Every structure is written in structure tokens, then in C-alpha cells.
Amino acid sequence: MMKFILDESLVALGIKNVVIGIAKNVDPHAPLSASFLGKQKEMEKWALKCDVEEVSDDAVIQGYKDLLQSVGRSVKKNPPTVLALIRNIRHRGSIPHINSIIDIYNVESLHSLLAIGGHDLDKIAGQIEFTVSQKEDVFLPILSTEKHVSQTDYVYRDQKGILAWLDVRDGENYKFDDETKNAIFIIQGNAHTSVEMRLEALKRIENDLAECMPNLEFETYVICSEKKT
């Protein structure tokens, strides 16, 4: 099994554990099931009509905003994932269709309000460390230009670089593509998200994937800090 390290610097920000799902034998081109497409349509309708202020005040979203503010980052410039996704849906007038894997976890994000990192497992080198950066760094977000990472930003990274920054952007070098066979889903959560809630979100992702990908193998892990109190 791949090694995961939850650094004390992240625990200090209120992230006491990270929940992970590993999905083997995924197919980005698999036709989505009728039941999932119905769910996707419902979530699209909700995103187009919901009261954004109300969503923004939800405890889960508030937890993400608190995290950003605790490290001195602007919530306006770096809105929590779900708020950014709702804005994107409203701008386009519909939910984006990217590929079957991404469509499934986007719908789960809207459903649970959780930031869910999705990455191609085979592009990851060595272990994944969840930590406050503790050094100046650079990060290349999906479909964007390089960003400066300050030493107080929280990230998770492998031996090559940063997979996700501030839980708001995922890395270009680890994204799903047409050839993706194995996926990893990462839910860091915040002080307001229980392990149970995050495991339930992964279970729904697993069920939606399994409906259209018959050879799917799915395992979940809960990563805790190694420091003994």
C-alpha cells in the first residue's frame, strides 16, 4: 500500500485525519448510469437555484473558510471548492461534463459540500504527505499558470510536487486523462467534517463508479497523525 503521512502542522489547523479512497480499474469513458444521470440533473438544478449565501454559511463550507483565513489566505480569491463549482455551473448554465470519473465526484461535492481531490493514482511518485508547506514552493493548478506557494499554505504532495493546494486547486501533473486506469480520492475535510461523513461521501462515489465500471475495486483508508499523545 502507498504510504500516507499526516504532519502535525496540519493537525494543528484542525485536520485530525484524512479520508482516502483508492479506485482501481476505472474507465473515464464509461457511459454513466441512468440513475446517476438523474442525480446529476437534480444537483445541477439545485446549483442553479440555491441561495449561495445560505450555502456559504453551512458549517462544512464555514470550516473551509476558517482554514483559509487561519493561514492568511483570501476566501474571496480562493473560494471553497463547492462555491467555485456552483459559480462555474451558473456561469455556463449547466453542470460541466468532463469525464465519467470527474462527473461523479463533482456531483458528490455538490451533494456533501466537501472538497474532494481526485488524482490519477499512477502519476503519483512515492508517498503522499499532508502538511503545511513549510517552504516557498510553486504549484501548477489544472488549466492554469504556476502559483506561488507560501510556507504557511497547506498542501499535499508527493516526491515530485504538489497534488493539491489549500484544498481549492488540484495539480495539472496528477489529473485524470483519457488513459486513467486507477484513481485516488482525497477528502481532507476540516474541523466540521466527521470521518463518518467523509466515508459516506466515498461510499456514494464508489457506488456511482461501480454502476458503470463493472471491474471496479475500491478501498478506503483513514489516515491519522503518527504522533502519539
Side-chain angles (χ1 to χ4, degrees):
M1 166 186 159
M2 175 181 271
K3 187 165 190 291
F4 302 103
I5 295 166
L6 174 53
D7 190 78
E8 281 304 306
S9 58
L10 208 55
V11 176
L13 293 178
I15 297 176
K16 307 269 191 290
N17 36 56
V18 176
V19 173
I20 289 169
I22 289 181
K24 302 260 177 86
N25 308 321
V26 293
D27 176 4
H29 310 286
L32 292 158
S33 70
S35 66
F36 174 77
L37 291 171
K39 190 158 71 165
Q40 188 180 45
K41 203 76 204 148
E42 284 303 303
M43 291 319 306
E44 177 183 83
K45 269 195 257 180
W46 173 79
L48 290 168
K49 291 199 172 109
C50 68
D51 179 337
V52 178
E53 286 302 310
E54 212 173 275
V55 176
S56 187
D57 289 341
D58 183 276
V60 172
I61 301 290
Q62 193 56 55
Y64 288 119
K65 293 194 290 191
D66 292 347
L67 265 174
L68 284 160
Q69 285 165 333
S70 73
V71 299
R73 282 292 187 176
S74 157
V75 172
K76 206 174 163 67
K77 285 193 188 138
N78 308 290
T81 303
V82 172
L83 297 181
L85 183 53
I86 291 170
R87 189 182 296 168
N88 180 10
I89 292 167
R90 290 187 168 189
H91 177 68
R92 321 159 48 101
S94 63
I95 200 164
H97 296 276
I98 302 161
N99 70 40
S100 301
I101 309 168
I102 297 170
D103 291 2
I104 283 170
Y105 82 88
N106 273 344
V107 164
E108 180 50 43
S109 257
L110 291 169
H111 180 272
S112 61
L113 306 183
L114 291 164
I116 302 168
H119 316 278
D120 186 318
L121 185 65
D122 299 314
K123 293 179 180 177
I124 296 168
Q127 61 192 29
I128 298 179
E129 180 189 28
F130 301 89
T131 185
V132 169
S133 182
Q134 299 170 47
K135 62 180 183 185
E136 305 274 320
D137 210 340
V138 288
F139 166 64
L140 182 61
I142 293 174
L143 298 177
S144 190
T145 50
E146 273 196 351
K147 284 195 179 301
H148 172 257
V149 177
S150 78
Q151 50 192 6
T152 48
D153 290 344
Y154 47 94
V155 298
Y156 53 88
R157 57 192 175 205
D158 69 357
Q159 287 163 352
K160 294 183 300 190
I162 294 173
L163 281 82
W165 173 74
L166 299 175
D167 228 359
V168 298
R169 298 299 293 270
D170 284 351
E172 172 73 28
N173 299 329
Y174 305 90
K175 71 179 181 185
F176 297 126
D177 59 34
D178 287 346
E179 307 303 314
T180 297
K181 303 277 188 294
N182 303 300
I184 183 167
F185 301 101
I186 292 175
I187 313 181
Q188 287 188 135
N190 57 55
H192 301 300
T193 62
S194 66
V195 168
E196 291 69 31
M197 173 194 186
R198 286 176 282 158
L199 286 171
E200 281 165 16
L202 287 177
K203 189 72 199 158
R204 287 187 291 269
I205 289 174
E206 177 184 359
N207 292 342
D208 289 337
L209 289 169
E211 275 186 350
C212 61
M213 303 173 195
N215 300 317
L216 181 79
E217 292 172 29
F218 200 98
E219 289 180 340
T220 51
Y221 304 93
V222 179
I223 311 306
C224 305
S225 129
E226 289 178 357
K227 187 176 176 190
K228 304 285 179 275
T229 46

